[in-house]
Amino acid sequence: MLHVAVVCAGYNSSREIVTLMKSVLFYRKNPLHLHLITDAIARNILETLFRTWMVPAVVVSFYDAEELKPLVSWIPNKHYSGLYGLMKLVLPSILPLSLARVIVLDTDVTFSSDIVELWAFFGHFSDKQVVGLVENQSDWYLGNLWKNHRPWPALGRGFNTGVILLWLDRLQQTGWEQVWKLTAKRELLTQTATSLADQDIFNAVIKEHPELVHPLPCVWNVQLSDHTLAERCYLEAADLKVIHWNSPKKLQVKNKHAEFFRSLHLTFLGYDGKLLRREPFGCPNHFPPGAEQLQQALAQLDEEEPCFEFRQQQLTVHRVHITFLSYQPPPPQPHDVTLVAQLSMDRLQMLEALCRHWPGPMSLALYLTDAEAQQFLHFVDMSPVLSVRKDVAYHVVYRDGPLYPVNQLRNVALAQALTPYVFLSDIDFLPAYSLYDYLRASIEQLELGGRRKAALVVPAFETLHYRFSFPKSKAELLTLLDAGSLHTFRYHEWPQGHASTDYSRWREAQAPYRVQWSAHYEPYVVVPRDCPRYDPRFVGFGWNKVAHIIELDAQEYEFLVLPEAFSIHLPHAPSLDISRFRSSPTYRDCLQALKEEFHQDLSRRYGSAALKYLTALQLSRSRA
Amino acid sequence: MLHVAVVCAGYNSSREIVTLMKSVLFYRKNPLHLHLITDAIARNILETLFRTWMVPAVVVSFYDAEELKPLVSWIPNKHYSGLYGLMKLVLPSILPLSLARVIVLDTDVTFSSDIVELWAFFGHFSDKQVVGLVENQSDWYLGNLWKNHRPWPALGRGFNTGVILLWLDRLQQTGWEQVWKLTAKRELLTQTATSLADQDIFNAVIKEHPELVHPLPCVWNVQLSDHTLAERCYLEAADLKVIHWNSPKKLQVKNKHAEFFRSLHLTFLGYDGKLLRREPFGCPNHFPPGAEQLQQALAQLDEEEPCFEFRQQQLTVHRVHITFLSYQPPPPQPHDVTLVAQLSMDRLQMLEALCRHWPGPMSLALYLTDAEAQQFLHFVDMSPVLSVRKDVAYHVVYRDGPLYPVNQLRNVALAQALTPYVFLSDIDFLPAYSLYDYLRASIEQLELGGRRKAALVVPAFETLHYRFSFPKSKAELLTLLDAGSLHTFRYHEWPQGHASTDYSRWREAQAPYRVQWSAHYEPYVVVPRDCPRYDPRFVGFGWNKVAHIIELDAQEYEFLVLPEAFSIHLPHAPSLDISRFRSSPTYRDCLQALKEEFHQDLSRRYGSAALKYLTALQLSRSRA
């Protein structure tokens, strides 16, 4: 079992560490124990990520970076890593005492070899050595980079702390805490601050106590900083082990072999993390919680069964990376509403329009491959509309399997909504410009905060035109409707879906009115955040919203249609799943089987009260 | 420089070898020379693939498998590899005499290590040894697998020939050709045929001349066949080097560590081959033709320039895998027409409908990532409509860059059309059911075979409805048009695009009629296969077809509208590119710059005759 510690804080580092870990896991052959020192943001993201990643023979422990802050906050520091960089100095005070040795990594390194080879260097430490480091590969500590450059003291070129072998129990014995503090305080008498965070202090200590350091071969930390001399290292050694993107320019750094290094890094950036769920040889029974049961359940599926793909998709545990991009949660407000929706790559172009129509918080689940997640990142960076919106939380659910797991995606987005209310929408709908304000006002007026269980219905319309002038008001909408440029949603194909909304009553309505559930009803609704989840058995096309609305009705939510609310569906090509539904009788049979199971579950949970849903379904079928 | 020989024939092996080569290239650090013994199909595919792949320090030589057929066709063989399996026996007679040593690989192996380590075993050969092999990992040659199983003779468990180290010049010296032929002929007196192709004969020879073989460690050919004992090998050796999918079940084979092996294989199946364009260290100046100029051109681009993305996309050389799936070229017919179009993953659902509407040959370019290409393969396999259509050629162009290279894709599809005429369509259009027959009849009647240069215009319509009953005839189409359920294409948004087609004349027309070019004209046309190519400078949205139609007009093609031809556009969401065009002034400016460059080129090539296009454009702009 090898131990690895990483300090990780914030959204960007939480993405970086995933790529680092992919590269480590790709080459490793041993069980690993990860010790992650995180802020609240990174912990939230990485707990979900590792729980859903289910990598065998990987244990993850979290430590609260807050606890370490007081230990290092007295040190003035100019490095971009801030306080978090300095925390590597005080790891011995937070890691368990039982932990004798640990490899400490920065999030901006990429492995191209098995980490056990690095671990093996502990075996070469002399009795006195407590820290293994690679020499610094720029002239920084020589102090000749530019005029008046006065770096901290260092032994020769100094050492880089992106990759550290730390012999923890020996550090304790040598009184490490006293040693580095004394050195730091003394240097700070003449230096205003650390420039390179922990690295300056490590180097100052080593300058004084050279016996503490075990120098590592340079290939274990090939530094791609701006003035790097790394070339000298690997031209001789030929075999790269760890690459360190230690320029603030990261992948954009210019360098003789930049393309080569970039391609190594991009390999893991786009690598399908699911493939790392493989079990290393020779260490069986290292399954993470749930993984073994899952494997057994999957193994019991009959591949010849016609609905095999459905069964498999339902069982699939997708890796989930919540809040993939920088995000500022909305301030708590009693009537606030988050728009909840899900999408895949082919709907990215909806996001800008959606942002223009909905100025409030959003929680969106994106179903992407690892490579697509990077394209998505680029897309948001490039968009002036999206890049400034910090109240939109994007949750990446990684693709796995042939059917779109629509309800699993909705549940991820729903679980991450932080306001008391959610507007459960679909990505192809644009809400009325006023909807966000109107919903908050309505929630307040209707006093939904109390014990009243209500689902506010937002009537749905559709346009068949690509270019179309969005109505500014209900009056304008009605005019367009009468002119035939707008229709009630799916009026031609599936009027049952929204029949209960009673569009003709809505035309005249001045106040919210209550409507009754009827078969196939699937309105877009605003409900409290703690509403029932979507039924994850519905994958692909069909019945995914219908089942949720039945659930709301069974739990006695009132359906209240809002007289001024509306949202409009924009045209798009039929999805792959709807095409399969239409063309494949097997697909339709499987959906039918799911519906029947759903009704059985419903009557188990709600008894005879659930009978009405089955009867309604049968009635509507006999009429059709 | 390491030499690797692979026998590769047909469509499936041409896909397999790509995955094999990705795994080899991922780990290799040396220059490689690939010797590919191919049939015409594989050669056609792989020449294009390697030329466009542009991997540094890889030389590829092709050898015609036809030449080897007579040397092995006399051997009766029951193995699924057919004659091609046997060809490994006669490699010395086709590879250059100067080639002393070569590694011979089956297409169904995956590397998980640097091939130079395998090459190093040549250094351990004794003077007599000529062939390096791994022991067979099933009981096949022990003859106890089932009753009456009488395998060919072998030394112990025998050897597997999926990975061979072949010392070619020594083989020549030992009279290899005589040796194996004599052995084979003698065994065939009692055996009816080889069961495992070349492997049976290699083993029979080795049984007689054990001094010829150098046994290799088993990790260099871990055999995942049905009755494999491979587990014994890697449980001891711990370090896998090469995996051999030698069961006919391939990746579906059941096996204790199947998931582990599958994930290794899937790693390379989905790996972005572009990342392998990296130059290995220590061997510079091994650039393939064109690669160095390309790199220089890319390096000269100014990243700060607003149209940088356009410039970069235009220069990008995409890897191209033509005829990705099994394909039967249409028999030569003088008036036959191929439908030509391009698409990406989000339009896969159009393919089945397209196949129902167009019973003739098609040439389709697909813009995909490596991982998407595998999803596409699965999609076609699963579709009863697509899997039976062998007259549809699918050409995969691998994604690279942010803009859709629409005209490069069209040119790939166009270049691969094999009929004398092509129908240049778009993937969102469904042709009239009768169009294929009608076009062939029209070409014949109009005597287009002669010197007449004509572009037959297929009038374009559109529906805004998802579900829609496709008109069976022109009469039905006109009824739908009058009822407002159909429109002429882009009637609301961009009538200029098809104005010249003159829809009102078309209503009444009984015979083809000639129309004149006008500004913005972009009809869908049928032209001879040798028509001008599309201008690849137009990437993303806008002007890609317009420029091609101008080119046809400039080359004096007559535009003849066919009175019974039509095709109908189905609704879809706006593409990412059209969304960017609409929302980004920079995007529009860049497109404008492209147009201007196009017009400059046009006047360079056609002189004053090209003036009319510029004037028309300026006129239409001043009117707008």
Side-chain angles (χ1 to χ4, degrees), chain A residues 26 271-272 274-279 281 295 298-299 303 308 312, chain B residues 19 110 224 234 240 243-245 247 249-270:
Chain A
F26 183 81
Y271 190 75
D272 182 351
K274 168 189 75 195
L275 297 176
L276 296 164
R277 283 182 180 165
R278 61 197 185 189
E279 184 191 355
F281 289 148
Q295 282 214 340
L298 280 168
E303 288 185 33
F308 170 71
Q312 193 186 26
Chain B
T19 310
T110 312
L224 302 182
Y234 56 80
L240 296 162
I243 295 159
H244 186 184
W245 302 91
S247 158
K249 293 179 194 151
K250 300 294 171 196
L251 256 66
Q252 270 65 51
V253 71
K254 303 276 180 198
N255 180 290
K256 191 175 160 196
H257 297 102
E259 273 309 316
F260 184 90
F261 293 118
R262 242 194 297 277
S263 100
L264 260 181
H265 184 76
L266 292 175
T267 291
F268 297 108
L269 210 55

Side-chain angles (χ1 to χ4, degrees), chain A residues 336-380:
Chain A
D336 206 1
V337 189
T338 299
L339 186 149
V340 168
Q342 32 72 41
L343 65 152
S344 52
M345 210 59 189
D346 57 338
R347 293 292 190 277
L348 280 196
Q349 70 274 25
M350 287 298 296
L351 292 176
E352 290 194 357
L354 190 56
C355 279
R356 291 200 190 93
H357 281 252
W358 182 267
M362 295 196 245
S363 178
L364 304 175
L366 293 102
Y367 193 50
L368 305 175
T369 64
D370 291 72
E372 286 171 345
Q374 295 305 315
Q375 288 174 42
F376 163 68
L377 184 66
H378 179 73
F379 178 77
V380 174

Side-chain angles (χ1 to χ4, degrees), chain A residues 292-358:
Chain A
E292 202 154 8
Q293 295 88 308
L294 179 64
Q295 282 214 340
Q296 281 167 3
L298 280 168
Q300 275 163 19
L301 293 181
D302 175 7
E303 288 185 33
E304 305 302 315
E305 204 240 320
C307 300
F308 170 71
E309 281 193 352
F310 282 79
R311 303 295 170 202
Q312 193 186 26
Q313 191 74 61
Q314 289 161 353
L315 286 173
T316 300
V317 177
H318 298 271
R319 266 177 311 138
V320 178
H321 189 135
I322 58 170
T323 52
F324 190 70
L325 305 184
S326 289
Y327 171 60
Q328 253 155 9
Q333 286 173 340
H335 311 111
D336 206 1
V337 189
T338 299
L339 186 149
V340 168
Q342 32 72 41
L343 65 152
S344 52
M345 210 59 189
D346 57 338
R347 293 292 190 277
L348 280 196
Q349 70 274 25
M350 287 298 296
L351 292 176
E352 290 194 357
L354 190 56
C355 279
R356 291 200 190 93
H357 281 252
W358 182 267

